[in-house]
Amino acid sequence: MTVSAAQAPWFLARSAQFTMAAVAGVEWVRALKVRAHLLHPSVSTTAEAARVSMIHVYVMTAAVVLFLAWFARCRRNAELLSPGAVRGSAAWSVLAWLIPGINFWAPRGLLLDVRRASGPAGADPGRGELLVNAWWAAWLGHAVLSLVGTQVAGGTSLPLLVAAQALDVPAAALAITLIEHITKRQAAGLRTVERVSAPDGLPHAS
């Protein structure tokens, strides 16, 4: 695909944003059900918590797939706009999110690379990097607290569950904002390339 033929992945962006918002909502419901079960254990609270947890798994899976599809498309566009500016291969840009341990540090660098390569050099660097770092900190904190909370004494720790949920909404909101930011940046970069590549420097007819 040529640069002039590439398009910003708006459909994937909107789909990923919608499912991320849904994940945050379902996760809050799940946390409330788990809390109710921890405070008042019964057959009914166990069944309710299990049912909501299963829905959470389905919604989370959809969100992960759509986010990775969006990111893979953004990575491809970024490579077209700024060849060699994004580290690693196209396959690595997806695998880095899925390999345990590596997914705690490598994706942040890939996001920064894609963000920088998607628009003019030096354009608004501070805000973009701050957005990536803020989301990464919120997501990582939520993931670590959730993981540790489910391992405490072989069960679920209510204080850690509350702490993890306190980071859930900010992490989801920042992810949605980050997707919007990078997609807009790519759309602007691709429009600039299209204008430059048009005959006589004139924009292509829409």
Side-chain angles (χ1 to χ4, degrees):
M1 179 185 292
T2 63
V3 178
S4 59
Q7 295 182 343
W10 280 113
F11 176 77
L12 289 172
R14 293 289 181 251
S15 300
Q17 288 172 320
F18 175 80
T19 52
M20 283 188 172
V23 166
V26 173
E27 193 157 347
W28 267 102
V29 174
R30 182 176 70 94
L32 292 174
K33 295 298 183 182
V34 171
R35 177 181 178 276
H37 174 66
L38 291 174
L39 295 176
H40 306 288
S42 68
V43 174
S44 62
T45 58
T46 299
E48 289 177 2
R51 183 166 55 252
V52 176
S53 294
M54 184 61 66
I55 294 172
H56 177 261
V57 169
Y58 293 148
V59 178
M60 175 64 79
T61 301
V64 169
V65 170
L66 288 168
F67 177 84
L68 290 179
W70 168 81
F71 186 69
R73 180 69 64 82
C74 284
R75 197 264 178 205
R76 184 174 65 180
N77 287 346
E79 184 66 27
L80 291 171
L81 288 165
S82 304
V86 183
R87 288 167 285 187
S89 64
W92 174 247
S93 69
V94 173
L95 290 175
W97 295 86
L98 303 175
I99 301 175
I102 291 176
N103 59 2
F104 281 167
W105 58 271
R108 174 186 169 274
L110 290 171
L111 273 169
L112 288 171
D113 285 351
V114 168
R115 189 260 166 197
R116 293 188 192 108
S118 295
D124 193 21
R127 179 178 178 273
E129 294 191 7
L130 178 62
L131 185 57
V132 172
N133 290 331
W135 172 70
W136 192 249
W139 177 85
L140 193 59
H142 171 71
V144 171
L145 287 173
S146 297
L147 180 62
V148 173
T150 57
Q151 300 301 319
V152 172
T156 301
S157 166
L158 186 55
L160 287 176
L161 176 66
V162 172
Q165 290 307 122
L167 290 174
D168 184 44
V169 171
L174 287 166
I176 290 169
T177 304
L178 181 60
I179 290 171
E180 187 78 9
H181 173 74
I182 291 179
T183 308
K184 280 185 176 179
R185 189 171 166 85
Q186 285 208 340
L190 291 169
R191 283 196 301 269
T192 299
V193 170
E194 186 178 6
R195 285 195 297 268
V196 171
S197 63
D200 301 321
L202 297 176
H204 288 294
S206 57

